[in-house]
Amino acid sequence: MYTPHGSGGSRSRAPAESGPGEASTVEHVVSCVLGLVAMGAVAVPFYPVLVGVTRPLRLLSSTAVVVALVSVWLLVWLGLEVVLEWRRRRGPVSG
């Protein structure tokens, strides 16, 4: 078995701490949950329309609905992450 130099056997890595300009895990989780809530807010009123649009796909229509909803969730999540990173890099707003 090959053991790369510096892998030192049974040493465990400590979790990385976020510094002053880095996002914490809580911020990532909150943006994920907000993306999920936004997806739910889009899914509820537009579900009949989404099903009607995907109806011609027959057996793949349920897959298309899931792909569309997951895409909305991921796009909102990514958008929130980008906005939070932009604000973090920009620094505190002075008033």
Side-chain angles (χ1 to χ4, degrees):
M1 175 166 78
Y2 173 73
T3 306
H5 179 69
S7 64
S10 64
R11 278 189 294 168
S12 62
R13 283 189 185 181
E17 299 280 330
S18 61
E22 299 176 14
S24 68
T25 304
V26 174
E27 290 174 334
H28 293 300
V29 170
V30 167
S31 62
C32 172
V33 170
L34 287 175
L36 189 63
V37 168
M39 185 270 303
V42 168
V44 170
F46 292 110
Y47 186 75
V49 174
L50 191 57
V51 169
V53 168
T54 60
R55 178 81 56 187
L57 298 174
R58 297 186 184 209
L59 289 176
L60 291 176
S61 64
S62 60
T63 303
V65 168
V66 169
V67 166
L69 293 177
V70 168
S71 297
V72 168
W73 175 33
L74 293 176
L75 286 173
V76 171
W77 184 4
L78 178 64
L80 287 171
E81 290 282 336
V82 167
V83 168
L84 287 174
E85 184 66 25
W86 175 73
R87 289 192 65 196
R88 188 175 306 105
R89 298 239 184 242
R90 196 168 164 222
V93 178
S94 59

